[in-house]
Amino acid sequence: MTSAQLRIAVLVPCYNEEAAVATVVADFRRALPSAEIYVYDNNSRDRTAAVAREAGAIVRSERRQGKGHVVRRMFADVEADVYVLVDGDATYDAPSAPGMIDRLLDDHLDMVVGLRVDQVQAAYRLGHRTGNRMLTGFLSSTFGLAFKDILSGYRVFSRRFVKSFPVLSDGFEIETELAVYALELSLPVAEIETPYYARPEGSFSKLNTWRDGFRILGTMLKLYRSERPLRFFTVIGILLALASVILAIPIVITFIETGLVPRLPTAVLSMGLMIMALLSVSSGLVLDTVTRGRREMKMLAYLSQPSLKRDAG
Protein backbone atom coordinates (compact mmCIF):
# COMPACT_ATOMS: atom_id res chain seq x y z
CA MET A 1 0.00 0.00 0.00
CA THR A 2 1.50 3.33 -1.07
CA SER A 3 0.99 6.69 0.61
CA ALA A 4 -1.44 7.72 -2.11
CA GLN A 5 -3.58 4.64 -1.44
CA LEU A 6 -3.81 5.24 2.29
CA ARG A 7 -7.10 6.32 3.77
CA ILE A 8 -6.13 9.27 5.95
CA ALA A 9 -8.61 10.89 8.32
CA VAL A 10 -7.97 14.21 10.04
CA LEU A 11 -10.01 14.35 13.26
CA VAL A 12 -10.72 17.81 14.67
CA PRO A 13 -12.65 18.04 17.97
CA CYS A 14 -14.09 21.55 18.35
CA TYR A 15 -15.83 23.63 20.98
CA ASN A 16 -16.46 27.29 20.12
CA GLU A 17 -13.71 27.52 17.49
CA GLU A 18 -15.51 29.68 14.93
CA ALA A 19 -12.48 31.96 14.59
CA ALA A 20 -9.97 29.18 13.91
CA VAL A 21 -11.65 26.10 12.45
CA ALA A 22 -11.71 27.31 8.83
CA THR A 23 -7.96 27.91 8.98
CA VAL A 24 -7.40 24.40 10.38
CA VAL A 25 -9.47 22.78 7.63
CA ALA A 26 -7.78 24.79 4.87
CA ASP A 27 -4.26 24.15 6.20
CA PHE A 28 -4.76 20.39 6.48
CA ARG A 29 -6.44 20.28 3.07
CA ARG A 30 -3.26 21.75 1.60
CA ALA A 31 -0.95 19.52 3.64
CA LEU A 32 -2.92 16.31 3.04
CA PRO A 33 -4.92 16.72 -0.18
CA SER A 34 -6.22 13.13 -0.18
CA ALA A 35 -7.34 13.13 3.46
CA GLU A 36 -10.90 13.36 4.69
CA ILE A 37 -11.28 16.05 7.33
CA TYR A 38 -13.82 15.43 10.09
CA VAL A 39 -14.87 18.22 12.43
CA TYR A 40 -16.79 17.04 15.49
CA ASP A 41 -18.70 19.88 17.11
CA ASN A 42 -19.10 19.53 20.89
CA ASN A 43 -22.11 21.76 21.68
CA SER A 44 -20.53 24.97 20.38
CA ARG A 45 -22.50 28.14 21.03
CA ASP A 46 -21.07 29.91 17.99
CA ARG A 47 -20.96 29.11 14.24
CA THR A 48 -18.20 26.49 14.49
CA ALA A 49 -20.19 23.78 12.69
CA ALA A 50 -21.38 26.10 9.91
CA VAL A 51 -17.92 27.57 9.31
CA ALA A 52 -16.33 24.10 9.21
CA ARG A 53 -18.94 22.87 6.75
CA GLU A 54 -18.40 25.92 4.53
CA ALA A 55 -14.66 25.22 4.61
CA GLY A 56 -15.28 21.74 3.20
CA ALA A 57 -15.04 19.53 6.27
CA ILE A 58 -17.31 16.62 7.12
CA VAL A 59 -19.14 17.93 10.18
CA ARG A 60 -20.61 15.72 12.88
CA SER A 61 -21.61 16.34 16.48
CA GLU A 62 -21.17 14.85 19.93
CA ARG A 63 -23.68 15.98 22.57
CA ARG A 64 -21.85 14.71 25.65
CA GLN A 65 -19.57 17.52 26.75
CA GLY A 66 -15.85 16.84 26.96
CA LYS A 67 -12.96 16.07 24.64
CA GLY A 68 -12.80 12.46 25.84
CA HIS A 69 -16.39 11.87 24.71
CA VAL A 70 -15.60 13.43 21.33
CA VAL A 71 -12.48 11.33 20.78
CA ARG A 72 -14.39 8.17 21.76
CA ARG A 73 -17.03 8.97 19.14
CA MET A 74 -14.49 9.83 16.45
CA PHE A 75 -12.44 6.67 17.00
CA ALA A 76 -15.60 4.55 16.87
CA ASP A 77 -17.21 6.17 13.81
CA VAL A 78 -14.40 7.04 11.41
CA GLU A 79 -12.85 4.37 9.21
CA ALA A 80 -9.32 4.99 7.94
CA ASP A 81 -5.80 3.54 7.78
CA VAL A 82 -4.09 6.52 9.41
CA TYR A 83 -5.64 9.02 11.81
CA VAL A 84 -4.43 12.55 12.48
CA LEU A 85 -5.86 14.03 15.69
CA VAL A 86 -5.48 17.80 16.05
CA ASP A 87 -7.17 20.55 18.05
CA GLY A 88 -9.33 23.04 16.19
CA ASP A 89 -7.58 26.16 17.51
CA ALA A 90 -5.06 26.63 14.65
CA THR A 91 -2.06 26.36 17.01
CA TYR A 92 -0.59 23.22 15.42
CA ASP A 93 1.46 23.07 12.24
CA ALA A 94 -0.40 21.32 9.42
CA PRO A 95 2.70 21.00 7.13
CA SER A 96 4.23 18.73 9.81
CA ALA A 97 1.52 16.11 9.25
CA PRO A 98 3.06 14.39 6.17
CA GLY A 99 6.36 13.98 8.02
CA MET A 100 4.59 12.52 11.05
CA ILE A 101 2.71 10.08 8.83
CA ASP A 102 5.93 9.07 7.03
CA ARG A 103 7.57 8.40 10.40
CA LEU A 104 4.58 6.29 11.46
CA LEU A 105 4.78 4.20 8.29
CA ASP A 106 8.55 3.94 7.86
CA ASP A 107 9.21 2.89 11.45
CA HIS A 108 6.05 0.77 11.79
CA LEU A 109 4.80 2.84 14.74
CA ASP A 110 1.39 3.07 16.32
CA MET A 111 1.52 6.68 17.52
CA VAL A 112 3.57 9.75 16.66
CA VAL A 113 3.21 12.74 19.00
CA GLY A 114 3.84 16.32 17.91
CA LEU A 115 6.35 17.71 20.42
CA ARG A 116 5.40 21.37 20.67
CA VAL A 117 8.08 23.99 19.98
CA ASP A 118 6.88 27.52 20.77
CA GLN A 119 7.06 29.97 17.91
CA VAL A 120 5.98 32.94 20.02
CA GLN A 121 6.14 33.50 23.77
CA ALA A 122 2.34 33.70 24.09
CA ALA A 123 1.75 30.35 22.42
CA TYR A 124 2.29 28.24 25.51
CA ARG A 125 1.51 29.77 28.89
CA LEU A 126 4.08 29.34 31.69
CA GLY A 127 1.60 27.61 33.99
CA HIS A 128 0.69 25.06 31.32
CA ARG A 129 4.35 24.48 30.47
CA THR A 130 5.27 23.91 34.13
CA GLY A 131 2.29 21.64 34.69
CA ASN A 132 3.12 19.65 31.57
CA ARG A 133 6.69 19.08 32.77
CA MET A 134 5.53 17.97 36.21
CA LEU A 135 2.94 15.58 34.81
CA THR A 136 5.37 14.25 32.21
CA GLY A 137 7.93 13.59 34.95
CA PHE A 138 5.33 11.80 37.05
CA LEU A 139 4.28 9.66 34.08
CA SER A 140 7.91 8.82 33.26
CA SER A 141 8.68 7.74 36.82
CA THR A 142 5.52 5.64 36.98
CA PHE A 143 5.16 4.05 33.56
CA GLY A 144 8.54 4.62 31.93
CA LEU A 145 10.18 7.38 29.91
CA ALA A 146 8.81 7.69 26.38
CA PHE A 147 7.37 11.19 26.00
CA LYS A 148 8.49 14.75 26.61
CA ASP A 149 5.08 16.30 25.92
CA ILE A 150 2.25 14.06 27.06
CA LEU A 151 -0.39 16.79 26.74
CA SER A 152 0.15 17.56 23.07
CA GLY A 153 -3.10 17.58 21.12
CA TYR A 154 -1.36 16.77 17.82
CA ARG A 155 -0.97 13.03 17.17
CA VAL A 156 -0.92 10.52 14.34
CA PHE A 157 -2.20 6.99 14.95
CA SER A 158 -2.30 3.66 13.19
CA ARG A 159 -5.66 2.00 12.70
CA ARG A 160 -4.84 -0.83 15.09
CA PHE A 161 -4.15 1.72 17.87
CA VAL A 162 -7.41 3.62 17.30
CA LYS A 163 -9.64 0.57 17.01
CA SER A 164 -8.21 -1.16 20.08
CA PHE A 165 -7.97 1.86 22.39
CA PRO A 166 -10.67 1.85 25.12
CA VAL A 167 -11.41 5.54 25.76
CA LEU A 168 -12.42 6.04 29.39
CA SER A 169 -11.72 9.74 29.98
CA ASP A 170 -14.35 12.44 29.58
CA GLY A 171 -12.30 15.60 29.12
CA PHE A 172 -8.79 16.82 28.43
CA GLU A 173 -7.35 13.90 30.39
CA ILE A 174 -7.60 11.95 27.13
CA GLU A 175 -4.01 12.84 26.16
CA THR A 176 -2.73 11.28 29.38
CA GLU A 177 -4.80 8.16 28.79
CA LEU A 178 -3.41 7.81 25.26
CA ALA A 179 0.14 7.95 26.59
CA VAL A 180 -0.50 5.47 29.40
CA TYR A 181 -2.17 3.01 27.00
CA ALA A 182 0.86 3.09 24.69
CA LEU A 183 3.27 2.62 27.61
CA GLU A 184 1.15 -0.08 29.24
CA LEU A 185 1.26 -2.30 26.14
CA SER A 186 4.81 -1.23 25.16
CA LEU A 187 3.58 -0.03 21.77
CA PRO A 188 6.05 1.52 19.31
CA VAL A 189 5.75 5.31 19.54
CA ALA A 190 7.79 8.41 18.72
CA GLU A 191 7.81 12.18 19.09
CA ILE A 192 8.56 14.72 16.37
CA GLU A 193 9.18 18.39 17.02
CA THR A 194 6.47 20.57 15.48
CA PRO A 195 5.96 24.35 15.56
CA TYR A 196 3.37 25.57 18.04
CA TYR A 197 1.68 28.90 17.39
CA ALA A 198 -0.46 31.32 19.35
CA ARG A 199 -4.21 31.20 18.87
CA PRO A 200 -5.60 33.51 16.16
CA GLU A 201 -7.38 36.66 17.24
CA GLY A 202 -10.89 35.90 18.47
CA SER A 203 -10.05 32.38 19.61
CA PHE A 204 -9.84 31.68 23.34
CA SER A 205 -8.50 28.74 25.32
CA LYS A 206 -11.00 26.66 27.29
CA LEU A 207 -8.29 25.27 29.57
CA ASN A 208 -7.83 26.23 33.20
CA THR A 209 -4.28 25.62 34.41
CA TRP A 210 -5.12 24.51 37.95
CA ARG A 211 -8.47 22.82 37.36
CA ASP A 212 -7.37 20.80 34.35
CA GLY A 213 -3.96 20.10 35.91
CA PHE A 214 -5.59 18.53 38.96
CA ARG A 215 -8.00 16.60 36.75
CA ILE A 216 -5.12 15.19 34.70
CA LEU A 217 -3.15 14.35 37.85
CA GLY A 218 -6.23 12.61 39.25
CA THR A 219 -6.55 10.62 36.05
CA MET A 220 -2.92 9.55 36.30
CA LEU A 221 -3.42 8.40 39.90
CA LYS A 222 -6.52 6.43 38.86
CA LEU A 223 -4.61 4.85 35.99
CA TYR A 224 -1.72 4.05 38.33
CA ARG A 225 -4.16 2.37 40.72
CA SER A 226 -5.76 0.34 37.94
CA GLU A 227 -2.57 -0.52 36.01
CA ARG A 228 -0.11 -0.88 38.91
CA PRO A 229 -2.39 -2.09 41.73
CA LEU A 230 0.24 -4.12 43.57
CA ARG A 231 2.54 -1.12 43.92
CA PHE A 232 -0.33 1.22 44.75
CA PHE A 233 -1.88 -0.89 47.50
CA THR A 234 1.51 -2.02 48.84
CA VAL A 235 2.46 1.60 49.47
CA ILE A 236 -0.83 2.13 51.30
CA GLY A 237 -0.21 -1.06 53.28
CA ILE A 238 3.29 0.06 54.29
CA LEU A 239 1.98 3.44 55.49
CA LEU A 240 -0.76 1.76 57.53
CA ALA A 241 1.71 -0.75 58.98
CA LEU A 242 4.10 2.04 59.99
CA ALA A 243 1.28 3.92 61.71
CA SER A 244 0.32 0.73 63.51
CA VAL A 245 3.88 0.08 64.70
CA ILE A 246 4.34 3.67 65.89
CA LEU A 247 1.16 3.42 67.99
CA ALA A 248 2.10 -0.04 69.31
CA ILE A 249 5.65 0.70 70.46
CA PRO A 250 4.76 2.58 73.73
CA ILE A 251 2.03 0.05 74.49
CA VAL A 252 4.46 -2.86 74.11
CA ILE A 253 7.07 -1.11 76.26
CA THR A 254 4.50 -0.47 79.01
CA PHE A 255 3.33 -4.10 78.83
CA ILE A 256 6.91 -5.41 79.18
CA GLU A 257 7.58 -3.15 82.15
CA THR A 258 4.26 -3.57 84.04
CA GLY A 259 2.44 -6.49 82.43
CA LEU A 260 -0.55 -4.19 81.85
CA VAL A 261 -2.20 -2.63 78.77
CA PRO A 262 -3.56 0.66 80.11
CA ARG A 263 -4.43 2.17 76.70
CA LEU A 264 -6.73 -0.46 75.28
CA PRO A 265 -8.36 1.82 72.61
CA THR A 266 -4.93 2.64 71.20
CA ALA A 267 -4.04 -1.04 71.15
CA VAL A 268 -7.24 -1.84 69.28
CA LEU A 269 -6.54 0.97 66.81
CA SER A 270 -3.01 -0.30 66.23
CA MET A 271 -4.27 -3.82 65.62
CA GLY A 272 -6.97 -2.51 63.26
CA LEU A 273 -4.40 -0.54 61.24
CA MET A 274 -2.20 -3.62 60.89
CA ILE A 275 -5.16 -5.70 59.70
CA MET A 276 -6.00 -2.98 57.16
CA ALA A 277 -2.37 -3.01 55.99
CA LEU A 278 -2.48 -6.75 55.38
CA LEU A 279 -5.83 -6.42 53.58
CA SER A 280 -4.42 -3.64 51.39
CA VAL A 281 -1.46 -5.76 50.29
CA SER A 282 -3.74 -8.75 49.72
CA SER A 283 -6.06 -6.60 47.58
CA GLY A 284 -3.07 -5.48 45.55
CA LEU A 285 -2.05 -9.06 44.88
CA VAL A 286 -5.55 -10.02 43.72
CA LEU A 287 -6.00 -6.91 41.58
CA ASP A 288 -2.57 -7.38 40.02
CA THR A 289 -3.72 -10.75 38.69
CA VAL A 290 -6.91 -9.15 37.34
CA THR A 291 -4.89 -6.35 35.73
CA ARG A 292 -2.64 -8.83 33.97
CA GLY A 293 -5.72 -10.48 32.51
CA ARG A 294 -7.09 -7.13 31.35
CA ARG A 295 -3.75 -6.25 29.79
CA GLU A 296 -3.75 -9.53 27.90
CA MET A 297 -7.25 -8.79 26.59
CA LYS A 298 -6.14 -5.32 25.44
CA MET A 299 -3.17 -6.81 23.66
CA LEU A 300 -5.36 -9.40 21.96
CA ALA A 301 -7.72 -6.62 20.82
CA TYR A 302 -4.71 -4.70 19.51
CA LEU A 303 -3.30 -7.73 17.68
CA SER A 304 -6.68 -8.52 16.14
CA GLN A 305 -6.32 -5.42 13.97
CA PRO A 306 -4.17 -5.81 10.83
CA SER A 307 -0.87 -3.96 10.80
CA LEU A 308 -0.33 -1.17 8.29
CA LYS A 309 2.49 -1.75 5.80
CA ARG A 310 3.88 0.58 3.19
CA ASP A 311 4.87 -0.98 -0.11
CA ALA A 312 8.42 -0.45 -1.28
CA GLY A 313 7.07 1.18 -4.38
Side-chain angles (χ1 to χ4, degrees), residues 11-306:
L11 309 179
V12 189
C14 283
Y15 174 62
N16 292 340
E17 295 293 358
E18 176 185 355
V21 67
T23 300
V24 174
V25 174
D27 288 349
F28 276 90
R29 180 66 68 205
R30 286 192 294 269
L32 301 169
S34 62
E36 291 187 324
I37 301 177
Y38 296 84
V39 171
Y40 274 68
D41 179 54
N42 194 207
N43 301 316
S44 296
R45 294 188 296 271
D46 59 12
R47 297 184 64 254
T48 295
V51 171
R53 192 174 290 108
E54 292 168 1
I58 301 171
V59 179
R60 296 175 180 174
S61 63
E62 170 54 51
R63 296 303 177 191
R64 290 173 295 178
Q65 196 66 41
K67 186 176 180 180
H69 290 304
V70 181
V71 172
R72 183 185 300 113
R73 182 72 177 271
M74 291 190 297
F75 282 7
D77 290 355
V78 178
E79 297 294 330
D81 298 310
V82 175
Y83 297 80
V84 180
L85 178 65
V86 64
D87 292 340
D89 54 11
T91 57
Y92 293 100
D93 184 58
S96 298
M100 294 171 70
I101 293 174
D102 287 341
R103 179 70 181 276
L104 184 89
L105 298 174
D106 293 341
D107 293 350
H108 304 286
L109 304 177
D110 285 306
M111 179 171 67
V112 176
V113 179
L115 176 60
R116 292 172 287 185
V117 179
D118 303 352
Q119 301 303 298
V120 294
Q121 186 64 31
Y124 200 4
R125 286 183 284 178
L126 179 60
H128 290 170
R129 184 184 293 109
T130 303
N132 191 12
R133 288 174 180 171
M134 292 175 62
L135 293 171
T136 300
F138 178 81
L139 185 72
S140 299
S141 63
T142 304
F143 295 97
L145 180 62
F147 302 102
K148 296 179 181 178
D149 185 4
I150 66 168
L151 301 183
S152 173
Y154 195 11
R155 299 165 187 257
V156 174
F157 303 98
S158 67
R159 176 182 174 83
R160 67 169 16 177
F161 185 106
V162 166
K163 294 304 181 182
S164 65
F165 174 59
V167 184
L168 301 176
S169 300
D170 297 335
F172 283 96
E173 311 95 304
I174 181 65
E175 282 88 3
T176 304
E177 191 179 353
L178 288 165
V180 170
Y181 177 74
L183 293 173
E184 176 193 10
L185 297 185
S186 300
L187 303 183
V189 298
E191 281 184 317
I192 291 181
E193 290 189 352
T194 59
Y196 187 66
Y197 304 99
R199 282 173 169 268
E201 185 176 353
S203 177
F204 303 96
S205 176
K206 290 81 181 175
L207 296 177
N208 180 283
T209 302
W210 293 105
R211 181 197 64 202
D212 292 313
F214 281 123
R215 286 183 63 182
I216 292 169
L217 182 58
T219 297
M220 294 181 71
L221 290 174
K222 291 177 182 177
L223 289 170
Y224 184 70
R225 181 190 63 193
S226 63
E227 304 303 334
R228 300 288 189 271
L230 183 56
R231 295 182 190 176
F232 182 85
F233 287 102
T234 297
V235 170
I236 294 176
I238 291 173
L239 294 176
L240 291 172
L242 286 175
S244 174
V245 170
I246 291 172
L247 291 173
I249 288 175
I251 298 174
V252 172
I253 293 174
T254 302
F255 177 77
I256 293 174
E257 293 176 347
T258 66
L260 300 174
V261 183
R263 288 174 289 181
L264 183 60
T266 304
V268 173
L269 175 61
S270 176
M271 181 177 63
L273 289 174
M274 186 58 71
I275 292 173
M276 291 174 62
L278 294 174
L279 288 174
S280 180
V281 175
S282 299
S283 299
L285 289 169
V286 173
L287 291 174
D288 187 63
T289 303
V290 174
T291 299
R292 288 177 181 272
R294 289 174 52 245
R295 191 175 297 126
E296 290 174 359
M297 294 301 296
K298 290 180 181 178
M299 180 56 74
L300 288 174
Y302 166 80
L303 294 174
S304 68
Q305 299 294 329

